[in-house]
Amino acid sequence: MIQKIRAFWNEHPLTLIMSLAIIFRLVSIIFARGWGMIDDHFLVIEASQSWVDGYDYNSWLPGSPDNHGPTGHNFFYPGIHFLLFAFFKLIHLSDPQLKMIIVRLLHASFSLLTVWYGYRITEKIGSKKAAAIAGLLIAIYWFMPWMSVRNLAEMVSIPFLVLSIWFIVREEHPRRPILVYMLAGLFFGFAFILRPQTASFAIGVGIALLISRKWKEAVTMIPGFLLPPLLFQGGVDYFIWGQPFVEVSTYIGYNLSGKDAYIVLPWYNYFLVILGLLIPPVSLFLFFGYLRSWKKHFLIFLPVALFFILHSYIANKQERFILPVIPFIIMLGSIGWLEFSDRSVFWAKHRKLLRGCWIFFWIINLALLPFVTGMYSKRARVESMAYLSRYPDISEIMVADQNNKPELFPLFYLNQWPHIYEELKDQETTDSLLVNVSKMKSDRQPRFILFTGDDNLSERIIKARQYFPYLVYETTIETGLVDKVMHRLNPINKNKRVYIYRNTAFIPKKL
């Protein structure tokens, strides 16, 4: 059996790679519920579903009570989900979990382009052996299947970047050079409206073409690049605000003025991210191979380097920001490392050590892969809303957190849009929030109070009952296994148990 698999691998590596990519992504489609970061749910799913339901969750639209103008959020990606959810409403598909399975299926299918063309690009500019390594890594790196089904602009922009590079590096088309480079520019344009920072990647490709004296090709990309932003960004902004590109200009201004307002980390942070994410020592091999390929594969090396430098310069650093260039580091890294290790005198004498490094890598990667691939992230918050969805006409909910730092609860899974008392502003505490809400009219008082975390739980419940004496215990929603591990490793991950209490003054009976 092993010999047959090895023979099939040697003859048809891409078929086996795509099969593995599909299998693991199917697991993520079915089991990887929830979300990873705030952006891949609350800025996409929550916003678009609320528009379908005649509500504006994030107050992005003019006319919304809390909207004071453009907020710097692009409408293209949430708009696609708006159309999808509007179709679901048309066919009476209302189950949030089923809708998200379809969303994950669409994202997983789109991500397969990265695997397929990642292999093809590496094979075209390198070798079949390097392509097999790169394709396999892109397909089943421990984080790739799970990330491929997330609603993250950083991930969704990757297939567009890969397609652009493929159109440039594949066989020359002397009769159609203009069409080929316009298509490359077009895909760069779509990547840009999803994630504006990818413009640095496109600029890097343009500079590399100019340095190679391919002036006509570089210039030809420009109209292709401009078309998607003109239609789907400038046009949409003009329709909504009467001013083209107002959202992207607001986004750029916000990031420039608030560049130090989020996670501020040192300039070398992304080196550490890549070295850790890609698992040492293989991550060192790949990064070395990428650096070594700078001259031979300058067309890909330079845009990755520009993208990397830009994000290293900006103080606000989050791990997901670097994701768009990870597949290209894997491609060039596989090519450069193989060329080096095959010719290295040291590695020729230490083949067992090299093999041991790869065995260690695969042990770690395959140990992480099944847990992460099927990870139900933020389970307690999702299941809390799913549980409460059985109650109709919930107008108000309160979140009482253990540290006065409330968690965001996804109303998408509630299928209702009540007001949630959870955002503690102007140094407000949970205690002061309880006082203020208890003084409100009955239609503004919470029907349920959600206590998150175990610290001082009894004291918090007693305090809440001083202001809402008709509270009764409803149920407890547990966190997922990986959520528990993540919270234990780093308490900044707000993955905590949720205790739901019902206000019997408004809802006397448990359903």
Side-chain angles (χ1 to χ4, degrees):
M1 177 63 73
I2 294 176
Q3 290 179 348
K4 288 182 179 180
I5 294 173
R6 186 174 296 171
F8 187 83
W9 168 256
N10 292 330
E11 294 176 12
H12 309 285
L14 185 54
T15 302
L16 188 56
I17 287 168
M18 294 303 297
S19 299
L20 289 170
I22 291 170
I23 290 169
F24 281 97
R25 279 156 180 77
L26 279 173
V27 173
S28 285
I29 290 166
I30 298 169
F31 297 105
R33 294 184 283 180
W35 71 92
M37 304 84 179
I38 287 177
D39 289 22
D40 69 297
H41 180 83
F42 293 93
L43 301 188
V44 182
I45 303 302
E46 210 82 349
S48 54
Q49 182 64 61
S50 72
W51 298 338
V52 173
D53 295 337
Y55 180 66
D56 186 11
Y57 177 81
N58 290 314
S59 299
W60 287 351
L61 300 176
S64 295
D66 295 325
N67 180 269
H68 304 290
T71 56
H73 293 93
N74 183 274
F75 288 100
F76 174 69
Y77 187 46
I80 292 174
H81 287 77
F82 166 75
L83 296 175
L84 180 64
F85 291 152
F87 172 72
F88 290 158
K89 185 176 182 178
L90 183 67
I91 63 174
H92 304 289
L93 175 57
S94 59
D95 181 9
Q97 291 289 12
L98 182 55
K99 287 191 280 190
M100 288 309 299
I101 285 177
I102 297 172
V103 169
R104 291 194 293 272
L105 173 63
L106 294 172
H107 283 74
S109 301
F110 191 51
S111 76
L112 293 175
L113 292 173
T114 302
V115 182
W116 177 273
Y117 287 106
Y119 177 95
R120 298 293 300 278
I121 290 169
T122 310
E123 183 183 37
K124 176 64 182 176
I125 65 176
S127 64
K128 188 174 181 178
K129 185 178 179 182
I133 294 174
L136 187 61
L137 293 178
I138 295 171
I140 59 169
Y141 242 123
W142 62 273
F143 59 92
M144 276 296 191
W146 189 83
M147 292 298 295
S148 295
V149 301
R150 303 269 71 87
N151 294 88
L152 280 176
E154 291 86 354
M155 288 300 298
V156 182
S157 66
I158 294 175
F160 289 115
L161 298 178
V162 171
L163 283 168
S164 296
I165 294 297
W166 169 246
F167 273 100
I168 293 173
V169 304
R170 70 176 186 167
E171 292 84 2
E172 293 295 330
H173 296 274
R175 297 180 184 177
R176 297 176 292 168
I178 293 179
L179 178 61
V180 169
Y181 282 89
M182 281 193 68
L183 281 172
L186 186 74
F187 290 124
F188 280 137
F190 278 112
F192 170 77
I193 59 177
L194 283 164
R195 183 69 178 161
Q197 289 86 341
T198 59
S200 60
F201 191 97
I203 290 170
V205 171
I207 293 172
L209 289 172
L210 291 175
I211 291 174
S212 302
R213 300 192 178 186
K214 294 185 177 181
W215 301 84
K216 183 170 64 175
E217 290 84 349
V219 172
T220 303
M221 283 202 312
I222 296 174
F225 175 84
L226 294 176
L227 187 60
L230 284 171
L231 289 177
F232 300 109
Q233 199 163 54
V236 172
D237 284 1
Y238 184 80
F239 176 78
I240 294 175
W241 300 105
Q243 184 178 348
F245 299 107
V246 65
E247 289 285 358
V248 70
S249 61
T250 303
Y251 175 80
I252 293 171
Y254 172 80
N255 279 272
L256 289 175
S257 61
K259 64 182 186 301
D260 300 332
Y262 291 93
I263 300 176
V264 178
L265 295 169
W267 64 269
Y268 54 82
N269 177 70
Y270 286 122
F271 289 99
L272 302 180
V273 170
I274 290 175
L275 294 179
L277 196 67
L278 302 185
I279 306 175
V282 166
S283 59
L284 294 168
F285 298 165
L286 294 174
F287 202 75
F288 174 80
Y290 160 75
L291 293 174
R292 192 175 182 274
S293 68
W294 76 270
K295 189 173 183 179
K296 189 174 181 180
H297 304 295
F298 191 65
L299 178 72
I300 300 177
F301 174 88
L302 182 61
V304 172
L306 281 181
F307 188 92
F308 196 90
I309 291 169
L310 170 70
H311 284 76
S312 296
Y313 172 76
I314 297 172
N316 179 18
K317 294 179 178 64
Q318 299 180 44
E319 289 83 356
R320 60 187 173 86
F321 290 172
I322 206 68
L323 287 172
V325 296
I326 292 292
F328 297 100
I329 293 175
I330 293 172
M331 292 178 216
L332 292 192
S334 299
I335 295 170
W337 175 253
L338 275 182
E339 290 177 349
F340 170 75
S341 60
D342 287 346
R343 300 173 185 175
S344 169
V345 175
F346 174 83
W347 289 114
K349 295 178 179 179
H350 299 84
R351 289 296 172 187
K352 288 185 178 180
L353 175 61
L354 182 59
R355 186 169 177 268
C357 290
W358 278 100
I359 290 173
F360 172 80
F361 162 80
W362 281 113
I363 289 173
I364 300 299
N365 190 75
L366 294 177
L368 292 171
L369 184 62
F371 289 102
V372 177
T373 298
M375 180 173 67
Y376 187 169
S377 181
K378 314 300 188 291
R379 180 190 182 279
R381 283 182 261 175
V382 172
E383 292 298 327
S384 294
M385 294 297 98
Y387 177 89
L388 292 178
S389 66
R390 70 186 68 186
Y391 290 92
D393 304 321
I394 299 175
S395 60
E396 312 288 329
I397 295 175
M398 179 183 287
V399 177
D401 190 86
Q402 64 183 35
N403 297 315
N404 293 328
K405 294 181 180 179
E407 302 173 353
L408 289 172
F409 281 78
L411 299 181
F412 171 81
Y413 295 96
L414 183 64
N415 266 334
Q416 303 175 55
W417 301 96
H419 180 264
I420 295 191
Y421 296 107
E422 62 176 350
E423 296 184 6
L424 306 181
K425 300 176 181 178
D426 301 324
Q427 307 301 316
E428 187 175 30
T429 65
T430 300
D431 288 351
S432 63
L433 185 65
L434 287 167
V435 173
N436 294 334
V437 175
S438 67
K439 295 178 181 178
M440 293 181 178
K441 295 180 180 179
S442 62
D443 62 340
R444 298 294 309 278
Q445 294 191 10
R447 274 51 179 168
F448 293 90
I449 295 182
L450 279 55
F451 297 91
T452 62
D454 297 323
D455 293 354
N456 304 315
L457 179 63
S458 298
E459 290 85 346
R460 284 185 284 145
I461 294 172
I462 292 171
K463 175 69 71 172
R465 280 180 170 152
Q466 293 176 7
Y467 302 99
F468 303 101
Y470 299 104
L471 284 181
V472 298
Y473 171 77
E474 176 82 8
T475 191
T476 300
I477 307 295
E478 293 289 342
T479 57
L481 173 61
V482 179
D483 281 344
K484 291 177 181 178
V485 173
M486 293 296 291
H487 181 64
R488 184 172 292 274
L489 291 175
N490 187 358
I492 198 173
N493 295 296
K494 297 180 180 181
N495 305 317
K496 294 174 283 188
R497 186 180 291 115
V498 178
Y499 301 90
I500 300 178
Y501 277 70
R502 175 168 40 88
N503 191 344
T504 58
F506 301 100
I507 307 177
K509 294 182 178 181
K510 179 178 181 179
L511 296 183

